[in-house]
Amino acid sequence: MSLHYLVIFSLVLLAAASSDALVQDFCIADLSHPAGPAGYPCKKSSSVTENDFFFHGLAAAGNTKNIISAAVTPAFDGQFPGVNGLGLSIARLDLAPGGVIPLHTHPAGSEILVVIQGTITAGLISSFENKVYIKTLNKGDVMVFPQGLLHFQINSGKGTPAQAFVSFSSQNPGLQITDFALFQNDFPTELVAKTTFLDVAQIKKLKGVLGGTN
Amino acid sequence: MSLHYLVIFSLVLLAAASSDALVQDFCIADLSHPAGPAGYPCKKSSSVTENDFFFHGLAAAGNTKNIISAAVTPAFDGQFPGVNGLGLSIARLDLAPGGVIPLHTHPAGSEILVVIQGTITAGLISSFENKVYIKTLNKGDVMVFPQGLLHFQINSGKGTPAQAFVSFSSQNPGLQITDFALFQNDFPTELVAKTTFLDVAQIKKLKGVLGGTN
Amino acid sequence: MSLHYLVIFSLVLLAAASSDALVQDFCIADLSHPAGPAGYPCKKSSSVTENDFFFHGLAAAGNTKNIISAAVTPAFDGQFPGVNGLGLSIARLDLAPGGVIPLHTHPAGSEILVVIQGTITAGLISSFENKVYIKTLNKGDVMVFPQGLLHFQINSGKGTPAQAFVSFSSQNPGLQITDFALFQNDFPTELVAKTTFLDVAQIKKLKGVLGGTN
Amino acid sequence: MSLHYLVIFSLVLLAAASSDALVQDFCIADLSHPAGPAGYPCKKSSSVTENDFFFHGLAAAGNTKNIISAAVTPAFDGQFPGVNGLGLSIARLDLAPGGVIPLHTHPAGSEILVVIQGTITAGLISSFENKVYIKTLNKGDVMVFPQGLLHFQINSGKGTPAQAFVSFSSQNPGLQITDFALFQNDFPTELVAKTTFLDVAQIKKLKGVLGGTN
Amino acid sequence: MSLHYLVIFSLVLLAAASSDALVQDFCIADLSHPAGPAGYPCKKSSSVTENDFFFHGLAAAGNTKNIISAAVTPAFDGQFPGVNGLGLSIARLDLAPGGVIPLHTHPAGSEILVVIQGTITAGLISSFENKVYIKTLNKGDVMVFPQGLLHFQINSGKGTPAQAFVSFSSQNPGLQITDFALFQNDFPTELVAKTTFLDVAQIKKLKGVLGGTN
Amino acid sequence: MSLHYLVIFSLVLLAAASSDALVQDFCIADLSHPAGPAGYPCKKSSSVTENDFFFHGLAAAGNTKNIISAAVTPAFDGQFPGVNGLGLSIARLDLAPGGVIPLHTHPAGSEILVVIQGTITAGLISSFENKVYIKTLNKGDVMVFPQGLLHFQINSGKGTPAQAFVSFSSQNPGLQITDFALFQNDFPTELVAKTTFLDVAQIKKLKGVLGGTN
């Protein structure tokens, strides 16, 4: 069977498709425009390169020289425009010995964690009966944290650093650390006390540390 | 345990996040841009205030001095930009004695109604076997109307006004009142007759009342 | 134009449709079967009545004779099978004088609140920069709380009760009260301390009140 | 490069996959179980055959020997289990000379129509300002009808039959014909009058034709 | 019952709605702006006409004078702005005698095909166990091809042309023809060989025909 | 402020919630029931333990002693019931020196890859203009592969093994390897030739290797 004219078919097809200025095999974020509820407008397909699908920013460990001896390095849509519209993103966790990612939620996505190095104790709390589920994870172990539920990660190895990658079912899952939400802003101490039942002294102490006012 | 350096961690985290010009904890509608299928572009987060989450327009009763003695006051995305992207909106129903919200559908959302005052008889019609489901609701009673199905609300109290709030599973559920769709436009009488089997005289009578032409 | 045979058409149509045992104009939950990620299996349409679209359980105030002088009464899928598959549910808030709904999130849905009686001060905290948005709401005022974000409601009226209805963009939005997640289970005190930076004494005090162990 | 052992890789892969009893490349409906909000449970993949992807029921014209000289033949999930979970279905329209598909909506899906034979005049009504959009379509012409909006189709050819295929963005879009919803059930005449402003005589006339009671 | 003032109600309603500059009964694509993950921004509703819901481009057969004796004519969002936001599109297949639509996938949508003329043999391959499902379809027969799975269509009639319409569960399902992906670009021959196990000579032969380089 | 009665509130809340037999903070798959389009039915919450959120199966390298010197080890819903309903899953890639994951697609999900060890050259092909995007990735580098598009991964390190984790925006993204779809089943050689333009000899050669028939 001769194939000489197959090219004609493909050109015809391309001609049809070319009247379509934009395609949506993918939608690399154009961060210069405002996002909408579904994400950012797409970069023109003619200017997309292999670099738009690529992100180097997780190759180096985050800086863990802080009180929690830990770092979260995100590759969400704001950092990595290639995830726009894909319902997916990733981040890197680094936990120095004793390090901890404090209790937090991701308001807009579920999380799947895989341990790359060391030992991590992780837990989540259901909203139903407030049940706590805690596991100690070693290299290669995987754990999921359903959307919006409080959870934490702790380096439970003895004196060794830990590392994990966490992926999310959202291009921008958000990150709400309970302590920062309570103590690192101008949330009036009286309202914090009223809505958490914490003692005022405790609130003021943590506000002092975290730079909260009011 | 000392907490002096926790602030460092949070600043590191903020620095990472700040390279992300927009966050999507929420997406307050910027009504000055055109919407897309998922809603309006988001207002810049730096200019969002508490007022963007707030809507006062349902506090007063709608004007029921009209033939149906009823009013629908919407807080959809066009009126309340804070619902943009949330898949949720609300409206207020006021029904004077004898008032009625005529047969209608919401093409883009389901509805949940709660009675605040008075007595309301509400009904919906399934598309399967055209079954009619009718209930009389008193203060605090709740009823749901699945997406796209014909339904109505009537003040069935004796001489007292009725009020309800209705929430929708869409930031803009739409509202298609059958009578208005048929009789308040230039839908040619002949076509109305052909597609509804109504008598021409009946059509002309209602067109006369509602301002329809053709 | 004669209409004598229109009935034939409709019967033909019904015959076609009747080969379809189940329709999905709606999907009233059959709570006797396990749910899946999208909700419960549907009750047979032949046994659906008007009562399946109706819920009376929010008509009476919840019991506010407790320390927070408040009550949340839900009409989620477990209580109100009619919301199954609709992406919508509702609840009633009652706040006696001084009442408060403590800081909490809904992991699976956004919320829209309308005040029915009294004065409520409500606030939410964004995950981006931990900004606090607080408004005082009066009768008829509306406020939205985007999915997964920490928020609270307080009766800020002087000596008068407050009431609100809250609707959700989910048939089961969940409710995770931070205090209960931390102090009303067997979450080990040491881990609570490590992941929240709260003092052990504070944790033990609240565990004592809320019945937490460990 | 030798390829002798590629089979080993594939067998390894299959072994891994085989521990997964069910796959979801597709989800042929098992109509013997109740549906849920997302559709029917899937038939076991081992019993799926080519016939599950195939439907013959649209090959013959529907019976148009009725007053509207028209027929709608659906291939929704109830008739064609292969569309389950695909967000897609199809139906066939046959319109004898003078035939009409009366004003109706599809509560759960948008529609795309392509004319196969004859001439069809179709229209839709927006909910915003009740604007009517009417087009006359010939063979090969396409028209869309957005979800939930009232629309109709009429054979506007002179004495020739018309045929169309209509596809939907749902496995079960529903079909609510306004006339049947109003006049082919036990919807009390008084309530029909109150909620549609139609004259009682008109209602009784159409109820008589369509078999409605009350 | 008098109807004189019904018009007042409707005007009040319109006034409320008019504060909402855009409605989303539909969202005709404005192709002059970049798309986002959910589609194109909407054309202003005031400039929408009946022509926006209409597409004539499938009325004529595609040019099948090419080696595969076949043509695909799409009515996706780029060609037919009316499908924007509807999760639906359509295309026309023309297959001259011996014509074939080569093995391909639609990365972003499922497909439903209906034969209009002739005989088509179509097949799809599951990802699970690589099972092949093949059917021969005649006029009026329907077949579905689930999202992302490899499939093909062949004119298997004896010397007669075939035609079909294919609808998709996406406004832009995409079309990836395996041969074009492999042989009609600068995909290095060495990498094609390594990732497909095809012989280099075979790759070079098809690259020659289809205009591929490297 | 005294806290003695807070427990009462929580008990009241639990009582309300307990009338809800099932909660959906999460939906651990009950693999003993058939799945539906949205996933498997949920395990009873009372029998959920921390192990349901945990998966150990990716800790060990897959067996790469095969012709492609590579292995894909999935943690999809069939292997890891904890991902059910979360729109998320993960897999492990092991590539011995010279190893390759042949050209393939995931019909139901997008992929994000992070390199754990070694050097991987990965590429994807758009459906629009068949453009090839290729990148060489080192430890910690990230690349995305949009849903349904052909892509591949090759160990391009000199003599060292490579490892990666790949996450997906689906609990069961599927995996369709082009070679297996063509040559590892009973797809008739004549049809393979007709729909791919490969030479019969080439097809028979690969069928021989992969165990295909017909």
Side-chain angles (χ1 to χ4, degrees), chain C residues 7-159:
Chain C
V7 64
I8 297 177
F9 169 70
S10 64
L11 290 180
V12 165
L13 216 94
L14 279 175
S18 292
S19 69
D20 181 356
L22 241 173
V23 283
Q24 290 202 263
D25 282 343
F26 40 77
C27 178
I28 309 297
D30 177 348
L31 297 179
S32 70
H33 287 78
Y40 288 89
C42 317
K43 202 172 158 174
K44 284 181 74 166
S45 62
S46 59
S47 65
V48 170
T49 74
E50 62 274 20
N51 294 319
D52 288 307
F53 301 99
F54 172 78
F55 189 67
H56 181 62
L58 305 191
N63 181 2
T64 60
K65 302 224 164 171
N66 51 49
I67 185 59
I68 58 165
S69 300
V72 179
T73 311
F76 299 168
D77 55 8
Q79 295 82 38
F80 181 16
V83 299
N84 190 49
L86 299 188
L88 202 61
S89 60
I90 194 166
R92 173 182 177 141
L93 302 188
D94 291 286
L95 298 111
V100 54
I101 309 294
L103 213 68
H104 65 283
T105 65
H106 303 287
S110 291
E111 170 182 340
I112 198 162
L113 174 151
V114 59
V115 177
I116 303 307
Q117 182 190 8
T119 301
I120 291 175
T121 295
L124 67 99
I125 308 168
S126 78
S127 80
F128 183 66
E129 292 182 340
N130 308 299
K131 202 166 167 186
V132 188
Y133 302 93
I134 300 177
K135 277 298 279 187
T136 292
L137 313 168
N138 294 303
K139 191 178 172 179
D141 284 345
V142 169
M143 187 165 174
V144 288
F145 306 93
Q147 181 168 352
L149 294 185
L150 282 165
H151 61 284
F152 64 86
Q153 289 101 8
I154 291 178
N155 183 344
S156 56
K158 318 251 168 215

Side-chain angles (χ1 to χ4, degrees), chain B residues 183-186 205-213, chain E residues 7 10:
Chain B
F183 309 123
Q184 197 179 65
N185 46 31
D186 58 0
K205 180 177 173 188
L206 285 166
K207 282 205 166 207
V209 173
L210 287 163
T213 58
Chain E
V7 65
S10 64

Side-chain angles (χ1 to χ4, degrees), chain E residues 5 21 32 34 36 69 86 95-96 98 127 154 177 180-181 189 195:
Chain E
Y5 302 99
S32 70
S69 299
L86 299 188
L95 298 110
S127 80
I154 291 177
I177 298 181
F180 296 179
T189 296
T195 61

Side-chain angles (χ1 to χ4, degrees), chain A residues 1-25 27 30 33 38-44 84-86 171, chain E residues 31 33-40 63 65-68 70-72 74 76-79 101-102 107-108 171-172 174-175 177 179-180 184 205-206 209-211:
Chain A
M1 177 184 179
S2 159
L3 297 169
H4 296 78
Y5 302 100
L6 184 54
V7 64
I8 297 177
F9 169 70
S10 63
L11 291 179
V12 164
L13 217 95
L14 281 176
S18 292
S19 70
D20 180 0
L22 241 172
V23 284
Q24 291 202 262
D25 282 343
C27 178
D30 178 348
H33 286 79
Y40 289 89
C42 317
K43 201 172 159 176
K44 284 181 75 166
N84 190 50
L86 299 188
Q171 68 186 62
Chain E
L31 298 177
H33 286 79
Y40 289 89
N63 181 0
K65 302 225 164 171
N66 52 49
I67 185 60
I68 58 165
V72 179
F76 299 169
D77 55 7
Q79 294 83 38
I101 309 293
Q171 69 186 60
N172 188 348
L175 168 59
I177 298 181
D179 264 38
F180 296 179
Q184 198 179 66
K205 180 178 173 187
L206 286 166
V209 172
L210 287 164

Side-chain angles (χ1 to χ4, degrees), chain A residues 74-213:
Chain A
F76 299 169
D77 54 7
Q79 294 83 38
F80 181 16
V83 298
N84 190 50
L86 299 188
L88 201 61
S89 61
I90 194 167
R92 173 181 177 143
L93 302 189
D94 291 287
L95 298 111
V100 54
I101 309 294
L103 214 67
H104 65 283
T105 65
H106 303 287
S110 292
E111 170 182 340
I112 197 162
L113 174 150
V114 58
V115 177
I116 303 307
Q117 182 190 8
T119 300
I120 292 176
T121 295
L124 68 98
I125 309 166
S126 77
S127 80
F128 181 67
E129 292 182 342
N130 308 300
K131 201 164 169 187
V132 188
Y133 302 92
I134 300 177
K135 278 298 277 188
T136 293
L137 312 168
N138 294 303
K139 191 178 170 180
D141 285 345
V142 169
M143 187 164 174
V144 287
F145 306 93
Q147 181 167 352
L149 295 185
L150 282 165
H151 61 286
F152 64 87
Q153 289 101 7
I154 290 179
N155 182 343
S156 56
K158 317 253 167 212
T160 55
Q163 186 199 336
F165 284 105
V166 286
S167 298
F168 299 93
S169 63
S170 164
Q171 68 186 62
N172 188 347
L175 168 60
Q176 184 161 55
I177 297 180
T178 308
D179 263 38
F180 297 180
L182 290 175
F183 309 122
Q184 198 178 66
N185 47 31
D186 58 358
F187 196 173
T189 296
E190 187 199 9
L191 283 181
V192 178
K194 237 184 186 153
T195 61
T196 63
F197 303 105
L198 295 174
D199 294 333
V200 165
Q202 173 76 85
I203 296 167
K204 291 200 161 160
K205 180 177 173 187
L206 285 166
K207 282 205 166 206
V209 173
L210 287 164
T213 58

